Amino acid sequence: MALQATSILPSSLSVHKEGKSSLSGKDTSFCGVSFSEVSPLVIRNKRELKSQRLSVGQIRAQTAATSPGVNQSTQGKKTLRKGNVIITGASSGLGLATAKALADTGKWHVIMACRDFLKAQRAAKSAGIDKENFIVMHLDLSSLDSVRQFVDNFKRSGKPLDVLVCNAAVYQPTAKEPSFTADGFELSVGTNHLGHFLLARLLLDDLKTSDYPSKRLIIVGSITGNTNTLAGNVPPKANLGDLRGMAGGLSGTNSSVMIDGGEFDGAKAYKDSKVCNMLTMQEFHRRYHEETGITFASLYPGCIATTGLFREHIPLFRLLFPPFQKYITKGYVSEEESGKRLAQVVGEPSLTKSGVYWSWNKTSASFENQLSEEASDVEKARKLWEVSEKLVGLA
Ligand code: LMG
Ligand code: NDP
Ligand code: PMR
């Protein structure tokens, strides 16, 4: 998929024609090797670990002491330092295109947090991302241990964290039986929601202490989780119910593998996970925006019908889906254009509003979109937060 993604990137320049017309005026159209500057493997004892952490703290303190987010250049001119942005799942599709869009500005250092180190390296290379502007760090969101390990590695690198983008996802539309994360959760919700939930919680302090002018936590959502749209009404529809399956651990042993307690359905599990993503963003906003000044946002980037997300769909679907979206729903957007959209949410000074779900209209202008009733349910968001905390071991 990396090859597919990167071969599409340079050739799709007719981008501002896409992301078109709107029926509702709302969501769109129609009707391995861990990165380590300080490798965890070279830390031999607890004291050494402590002293390394200490030095990270010292580096941070020094950076903060000079002047917030600003570097003094040799001519004495003050320039904004490069922003550090972590993007999960940056080895293909939207994540890769966003990494490329940000790196190309020269204003961002992208930490590509990926499960396949070599794939990510190759993808970055064939997308033409300057090696000065990115690194790859290993992160497998389907393992809570891996999430914790990633966070430790990142903290030890001593880099400030300015923006976190929770982008990675899996979609299993044709699976007859559920598969599971290392911790025994149904794979789609376990990866797309629970892995990101733990990651974001553990990195919140880093965002908080960053001295960058605009700190952001972005969680990618989707139209298909929003039942106030036509796309969100294509069966199976998202529905978290009363979260009984999730409260039971999504493991299929004592409870259902589905959040609402129903029978396994891979497409529904994906859509449910997107609802979780959008609810989580809002709950972060309610709990932490005022205190931390962090901007929390979600978005629907458009229908990027060519990405690896559809790798498990039947070949006929993969063949017909892009022309269907391009010519019939007109919801299609190229990977390159979607990357520019997400890059705006990362860095545009005009998009600092927190608690917002962004979408784009036919002229590719961003607007604040309405979430469905369920995806904006305050009580459900709170409950989801609490159940998720338990499942990932934070409560
Ligand atoms: C569920 O099925 C599965 O059960 C589940 O397991 C999971 O895979 C889930 O979301 C994923 O899908 C849902 C889906 C399967 O069923 C439906 O959506 C119900 C409706 C079924 C209708 C299918 C007929 C397709 C007709 C398309 C036309 C719609 C628009 C009509 C407007 C016409 C106006 C001019 O459904 C599918 O998988 C079908 C695949 C649908 C996507 C592709 C549709 C292709 C349509 C043909 C377009 C060809 C491109 C043309 C280019 C045109 C140039 C002008
Ligand atoms: P891709 O499949 O191209 O990208 C998904 C990325 O997630 C890949 O880099 C993949 O890694 C990574 N990933 C999957 N599982 C894990 C894991 N366990 N740990 C770490 N990384 C993992 O799909 P898209 O670019 O389309 O999807 C990106 C985001 O956009 C998702 O959140 C999706 O829900 C959202 N979205 C997509 C739309 C679309 O039309 N495509 C529409 C709306 C939203 P690897 O390369 O190793 O497989
Ligand atoms: Mg959908 C009305 C416009 C529209 C839009 C913007 C999307 C986006 N879709 C639309 C309409 C329809 N879709 C219609 C009318 C149908 C019935 C033919 C349809 C079907 C369909 C399928 C089978 N669409 C799909 C699938 C998938 O497997 C994709 C999915 O649900 O993934 C979870 C999908 C999508 N349609 C979209 C978008 C953005 C997706 C995929 C990705 C996502 O939400 O992340």
Side-chain angles (χ1 to χ4, degrees):
M1 281 312 146
L3 279 179
Q4 185 194 34
T6 48
S7 64
I8 280 159
L9 278 173
S11 62
S12 48
L13 291 168
S14 57
V15 284
H16 14 275
K17 290 195 192 141
E18 291 153 329
K20 299 236 168 128
S21 76
S22 185
L23 242 200
S24 59
K26 290 183 182 153
D27 244 321
T28 57
S29 25
F30 174 74
C31 19
V33 183
S34 302
F35 148 85
S36 45
E37 286 185 357
V38 183
S39 164
L41 299 176
V42 301
I43 295 167
R44 283 171 294 268
N45 57 45
K46 274 193 181 157
R47 192 186 291 165
E48 209 171 312
L49 185 68
K50 255 193 184 160
S51 79
Q52 294 218 4
R53 286 213 170 112
L54 207 70
S55 63
V56 168
Q58 281 161 353
I59 294 166
R60 285 218 184 117
Q62 281 164 13
T63 319
T66 42
S67 54
V70 171
N71 283 339
Q72 198 88 22
S73 77
T74 42
Q75 286 87 22
K77 265 198 202 157
K78 283 180 180 174
T79 53
L80 192 65
R81 69 167 165 78
K82 269 190 194 174
N84 285 311
V85 53
I86 294 178
I87 305 178
T88 67
S91 51
S92 78
L94 176 61
L96 178 62
T98 307
K100 165 85 175 149
L102 290 169
D104 281 358
T105 64
K107 294 178 187 159
W108 292 93
H109 185 73
V110 183
I111 295 116
M112 299 171 65
C114 298
R115 62 177 164 179
D116 184 336
F117 189 90
L118 281 177
K119 178 179 175 182
Q121 285 284 5
R122 285 197 198 107
K125 195 171 175 204
S126 50
I129 304 179
D130 187 334
K131 58 182 187 313
E132 295 296 302
N133 294 338
F134 80 94
I135 53 163
V136 177
M137 282 180 68
H138 183 257
L139 168 65
D140 183 348
L141 287 157
S142 66
S143 155
L144 298 179
D145 272 352
S146 174
V147 172
R148 291 184 181 280
Q149 183 71 64
F150 171 85
V151 170
D152 274 1
N153 287 348
F154 179 77
K155 286 180 192 283
R156 282 193 214 122
S157 77
K159 288 183 205 306
L161 177 62
D162 307 314
V163 180
L164 169 63
V165 181
C166 297
N167 162 77
V170 286
Y171 174 41
Q172 301 191 295
T174 55
K176 298 277 174 275
E177 297 294 332
S179 33
F180 296 93
T181 67
D183 307 274
F185 309 127
E186 184 283 316
L187 190 72
S188 326
V189 173
T191 305
N192 308 355
H193 167 60
L194 291 171
H196 278 134
F197 179 79
L198 180 62
L199 179 72
R201 288 289 301 275
L202 296 178
L203 288 172
L204 192 69
D205 269 346
D206 294 70
L207 284 172
K208 226 195 262 185
T209 52
S210 149
D211 59 351
Y212 206 68
S214 179
K215 296 127 42 138
R216 304 184 191 184
L217 196 168
I218 299 156
I219 309 179
V220 178
S222 181
I223 191 171
T224 53
N226 279 297
T227 49
N228 57 339
T229 64
L230 176 60
N233 277 289
V234 173
K237 291 205 251 179
N239 179 9
L240 309 189
D242 62 3
L243 277 74
R244 69 181 61 182
M246 188 168 218
L250 298 174
S251 63
T253 46
N254 297 315
S255 74
S256 159
V257 296
M258 299 297 288
I259 296 180
D260 65 356
E263 285 292 296
F264 173 70
D265 182 323
K268 180 174 183 299
Y270 170 87
K271 293 174 191 178
D272 288 350
S273 78
K274 291 284 115 185
V275 176
C276 293
N277 288 152
M278 295 179 281
L279 287 172
T280 301
M281 174 282 286
Q282 295 163 88
E283 189 64 16
F284 262 116
H285 167 73
R286 283 188 284 270
R287 287 176 187 244
Y288 295 107
H289 174 65
E290 240 179 72
E291 174 202 330
T292 64
I294 297 167
T295 294
F296 300 96
S298 185
L299 69 152
Y300 167 57
C303 185
I304 331 158
T306 52
T307 72
L309 195 67
F310 311 103
R311 69 189 89 186
E312 291 183 34
H313 227 310
I314 56 168
L316 183 64
F317 176 88
R318 293 209 308 272
L319 180 72
L320 295 179
F321 191 56
F324 172 64
Q325 294 292 347
K326 246 184 218 173
Y327 303 112
I328 299 180
T329 74
K330 311 249 199 290
Y332 174 85
V333 66
S334 69
E335 294 185 27
E336 186 187 33
E337 177 61 13
S338 69
K340 287 184 186 160
R341 290 176 175 184
L342 179 45
Q344 285 174 21
V345 184
V346 170
E348 272 292 314
S350 58
L351 302 189
T352 50
K353 189 164 174 195
S354 185
V356 171
Y357 168 63
W358 296 106
S359 293
W360 283 259
N361 64 21
K362 57 182 159 193
T363 56
S364 240
S366 56
F367 67 96
E368 242 184 276
N369 207 342
Q370 289 282 315
L371 290 158
S372 69
E373 204 181 318
E374 178 170 54
S376 50
D377 183 329
V378 174
E379 190 43 39
K380 223 172 241 197
R382 189 189 56 77
K383 195 166 173 191
L384 174 69
W385 181 278
E386 287 168 3
V387 175
S388 303
E389 273 189 329
K390 287 203 183 102
L391 294 185
V392 303
L394 288 173

